[in-house]
């Protein structure tokens, strides 16, 4: 049975060699992530072309996810290198300090509004919570703090306020320019960093549309405020990413497992895609094998129902990018063999608002109660395949379409495998026969196996699925 959980891999110097890029695609990467926090537009455009070339050679459809930087809430830089902060001593953050003028006493800020966003008693977490400061008083541009948890602090480390509440907008001027770049490179998904509400995602979608792109919107859940309105944010998105670094700092590590499970479950219930990210295989940046804790982390996300698991520095800058993808693929397969990943009560008590959604649900219910070898969704937009993929099942769903953009979009959906298929005529029986022969030709179904097919009137109109058929291969 093919692996259903998808792998997102971040590109970087470690994957730039053509043979490495092709190797990670062949090892199982379905989506590549371009981190717009690093590199220039030209670098990203070159990497996208390299991905398109590598996926063509590998015979696989690979989606491109453009990940916007979002607001930079960071400290500035130190004059003489890293400093050591000592618990109980004073340290200040100053929005008007020389960006290169940091010392043992204090450092500047990239986020100039921070003095207006904090109050005495607030807790600030630097460097993913490795340094903890308590705000004592604010004097103009300077925030005077006491060090509650010390350690070494170096340039450009991130700042979070415990419990969230910083007012930085999700989209910066850089992000707006990068959205135009994402549209120019025909990115399949665009990730919005630090959204606080549905309005942030709607703004990003409007900008993409104006730039001529219909890329899917991914909401990165990184703020405590986002968790409080998670249904609203999921509803405004095509996918959500559980970005566990900043999110864990803001809400506390002890709250993170429960929130992750809730976000994944809510996304599936609302027919959206879920990606689980951050430090999933981090030890493999420098080591050839994952830790047992990392194995458990990936497996638990799979058993929670995530559509995809994501690699960041592990593939972008790690020593073993191909080996890391291979290891993650094995772990996903192992988790998918557990019976709990193949059972579903999704929407059994719900009404359906669309005919194509009802057909998708009927197909999956039938497949899970009949000895079926495969499901074929003849699709224009990929919506039928998405709805099907919300049902936990061990039966592969093949999204057959002539549109490369639809194939790449569905590459992120759990349990969905896109295949190129062009309807050459309007005879329904012939189209069904051709679709089944496509799977047989790829060795995906055996002679005599039952296959479920969903289809419309072959009019080329999105949302036209209105029929289900069961045939023998």
């Amino acid at each position: 049975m093919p692996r259903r959980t998808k792998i997102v891999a971040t590109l970087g110097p470690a994957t730039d060699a053509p043979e490495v890029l092709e190797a990670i695609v062949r090892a199982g990467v379905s989506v590549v992530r371009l981190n717009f926090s690093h590199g220039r537009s030209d670098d990203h455009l070159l990497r996208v072309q390299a991905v398109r070339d590598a996926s063509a050679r590998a015979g696989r459809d690979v989606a491109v996810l453009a990940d916007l930087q979002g607001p930079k809430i960071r400290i500035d830089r130190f004059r003489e290198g890293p400093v050591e902060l000592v618990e109980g001593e004073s340290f200040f953050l100053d929005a008007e300090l020389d960006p290169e003028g940091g010392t043992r006493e204090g450092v500047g800020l990239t986020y100039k509004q921070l003095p207006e966003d904090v109050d005495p008693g607030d807790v600030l977490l630097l460097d993913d919570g490795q340094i903890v400061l308590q705000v004592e008083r604010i004097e103009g541009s300077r925030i005077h703090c006491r060090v509650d948890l010390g350690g070494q602090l170096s340039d450009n480390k991130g700042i979070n306020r415990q419990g969230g509440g910083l007012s930085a907008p999700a989209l910066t001027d850089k992000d707006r320019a990068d959205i135009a770049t994402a549209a120019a490179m025909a990115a399949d998904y665009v990730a919005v960093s630090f959204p606080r509400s549905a309005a942030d995602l709607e703004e990003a979608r409007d900008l993409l549309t104006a730039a001529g792109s219909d890329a899917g919107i991914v909401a990165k859940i990184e703020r405590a405020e986002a968790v409080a309105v998670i249904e609203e944010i999921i509803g405004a998105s095509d996918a959500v990413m559980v970005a566990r670094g900043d999110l864990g700092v803001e809400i506390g590590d002890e709250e993170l497992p429960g929130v992750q499970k809730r976000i994944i479950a809510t996304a599936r219930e609302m027919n959206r895609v879920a990606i689980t990210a951050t430090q999933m295989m981090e030890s493999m940046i420098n080591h050839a094998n994952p830790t047992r804790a990392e194995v458990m982390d990936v497996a638990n996300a799979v058993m929670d129902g995530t559509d995809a698991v994501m690699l960041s520095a592990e593939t972008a800058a790690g020593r073993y990018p191909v080996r890391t993808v291979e290891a993650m693929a094995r772990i996903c397969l192992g988790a998918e063999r557990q019976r709990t990943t193949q059972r579903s009560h999704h929407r059994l008590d719900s009404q359906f608002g669309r005919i194509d959604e009802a057909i998708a649900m009927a197909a999956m219910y039938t497949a899970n109660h009949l000895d079926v070898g495969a499901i074929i969704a003849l699709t224009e937009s990929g919506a039928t395949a998405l709805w099907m993929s919300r049902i936990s099942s061990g039966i592969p769903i093949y999204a057959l379409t002539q549109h490369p953009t639809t194939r790449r979009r569905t590459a992120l959906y759990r349990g969905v495998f896109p295949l190129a298929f062009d309807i050459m005529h309007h005879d329904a029986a012939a189209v069904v026969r051709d679709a089944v022969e496509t799977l047989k030709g790829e060795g995906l179904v055996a002679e005599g196996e039952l296959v479920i097919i969903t289809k419309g009137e072959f009019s080329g109109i999105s949302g036209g699925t209105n029929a289900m058929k069961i045939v023998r291969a």
Side-chain angles (χ1 to χ4, degrees):
M1 202 64 78
R3 173 175 45 82
R4 301 191 300 281
T5 308
K6 305 306 178 72
I7 296 175
V8 182
T10 303
L11 301 187
T15 60
D16 278 345
E19 63 274 14
V20 175
L21 185 56
E22 186 171 342
I24 67 168
V25 170
R26 292 186 182 278
V29 167
S30 297
V31 182
V32 296
R33 169 179 172 254
L34 301 173
N35 186 355
F36 278 31
S37 295
H38 306 289
R40 301 170 303 171
S41 296
D42 290 347
D43 299 329
H44 299 313
L45 290 167
L46 288 172
R47 282 181 173 143
V48 168
Q49 187 56 55
V51 168
R52 302 281 190 243
D53 294 342
S55 60
R57 290 193 298 271
R60 300 187 65 231
D61 290 290
V62 176
V64 170
L65 167 63
D67 194 339
L68 303 178
Q69 176 177 280
K72 290 180 66 175
I73 305 176
R74 300 180 181 275
I75 62 169
D76 278 323
R77 294 168 294 282
F78 293 95
R79 188 178 301 153
E80 298 178 356
V83 300
E84 192 73 24
L85 302 191
V86 178
E87 191 172 316
E89 295 189 356
S90 297
F91 189 76
F92 67 78
L93 305 170
D94 194 330
E96 294 183 2
L97 193 70
D98 178 355
E100 307 288 341
T103 66
R104 170 64 190 76
E105 285 72 41
V107 69
L109 295 166
T110 62
Y111 178 54
K112 306 305 182 185
Q113 287 72 46
L114 188 63
E116 301 169 19
D117 280 359
V118 298
D119 296 300
D122 283 351
V123 174
L124 299 178
L125 304 128
L126 280 59
D127 191 12
D128 287 339
Q130 299 304 307
I131 303 290
V132 178
L133 307 177
Q134 182 158 126
V135 177
E136 294 189 320
R137 66 185 189 281
I138 298 98
E139 295 178 347
S141 65
R142 182 165 293 191
I143 306 166
H144 295 272
C145 304
R146 182 185 73 245
V147 179
D148 281 357
L149 179 63
Q152 188 179 84
L153 182 62
S154 56
D155 296 347
N156 304 314
K157 295 303 181 185
I159 304 172
N160 296 87
R161 185 170 78 171
Q162 193 172 71
L166 299 182
S167 64
L171 293 176
T172 65
D173 289 342
K174 179 184 186 310
D175 294 331
R176 293 182 177 88
D178 285 341
I179 283 174
T181 300
M185 67 172 60
D188 302 290
Y189 292 93
V190 173
V192 179
S193 297
F194 300 100
R196 291 177 298 174
S197 67
D200 293 327
L201 306 162
E202 290 160 359
E203 181 185 359
R205 196 182 297 278
D206 289 344
L207 290 167
L208 271 170
T209 301
S213 170
D214 64 350
I217 296 290
V218 179
K220 294 173 66 178
I221 310 303
E222 301 177 273
R223 285 175 156 167
E225 302 97 298
V227 175
V229 292
I230 192 62
E231 289 85 358
E232 171 191 328
I233 284 178
I234 291 173
S237 312
D238 299 286
V240 289
M241 182 189 296
V242 189
R244 303 179 303 179
D246 284 287
L247 181 60
V249 171
E250 290 214 354
I251 68 174
D253 289 339
E254 69 279 4
E255 298 295 328
L256 193 55
V259 168
Q260 173 177 309
K261 290 175 183 294
R262 176 187 161 203
I263 292 171
I264 293 171
T266 304
R268 292 184 67 82
E269 182 64 29
M270 295 179 67
N271 293 323
R272 301 300 194 272
V273 176
I275 304 168
T276 306
T278 316
Q279 297 177 327
M280 301 213 80
M281 306 278 277
E282 190 166 18
S283 71
M284 290 193 75
I285 295 172
N286 294 306
H287 298 94
N289 292 298
T291 66
R292 295 293 182 270
E294 288 165 342
V295 171
M296 292 294 293
D297 182 32
V298 173
N300 277 320
V302 172
M303 289 188 283
D304 286 343
T306 193
D307 288 84
V309 285
M310 194 175 97
L311 297 165
S312 297
E314 300 97 328
T315 49
R319 295 172 62 188
Y320 305 100
V322 180
R323 192 178 177 99
T324 302
V325 173
E326 292 170 342
M328 181 170 265
R330 288 195 304 272
I331 297 164
C332 291
L333 276 168
E336 289 169 2
R337 285 194 287 270
Q338 303 305 306
R339 181 64 180 158
T340 55
T341 69
Q342 300 176 26
R343 294 175 175 169
S344 180
H345 299 286
H346 178 73
R347 302 201 65 184
L348 284 181
D349 301 318
S350 299
Q351 292 281 105
F352 304 126
R354 294 175 50 162
I355 292 171
D356 45 0
E357 183 182 8
I359 292 294
M361 296 298 99
M364 293 307 297
Y365 183 86
T366 303
N368 279 342
H369 292 79
L370 189 65
D371 187 15
V372 172
I375 302 160
I376 295 174
L378 297 174
T379 184
E380 290 288 317
S381 68
T384 304
L386 172 63
W387 285 321
M388 288 177 174
S389 69
R390 302 307 86 190
I391 302 291
S392 298
S393 172
I395 303 165
I397 303 160
Y398 296 99
L400 270 59
T401 179
Q402 64 177 322
H403 306 298
T405 52
T406 298
R407 295 199 298 272
R408 294 197 299 267
R409 179 77 70 93
T410 60
L412 181 58
Y413 304 165
R414 180 169 173 146
V416 175
F417 306 94
L419 290 173
F421 182 76
D422 195 359
I423 296 173
M424 303 303 293
H425 39 66
H426 290 277
D427 179 72
V431 172
V432 167
R433 184 181 63 248
D434 290 350
V436 173
E437 288 300 319
T438 297
L439 263 62
K440 290 172 69 175
E442 295 286 339
L444 300 173
V445 292
E447 189 77 31
E449 277 193 298
L450 288 178
V451 178
I452 292 178
I453 299 176
T454 63
K455 58 189 180 66
E457 300 301 327
F458 313 127
S459 61
I461 298 173
S462 177
T465 297
N466 61 5
M468 179 183 84
K469 190 175 183 68
I470 305 174
V471 301
R472 285 201 181 274

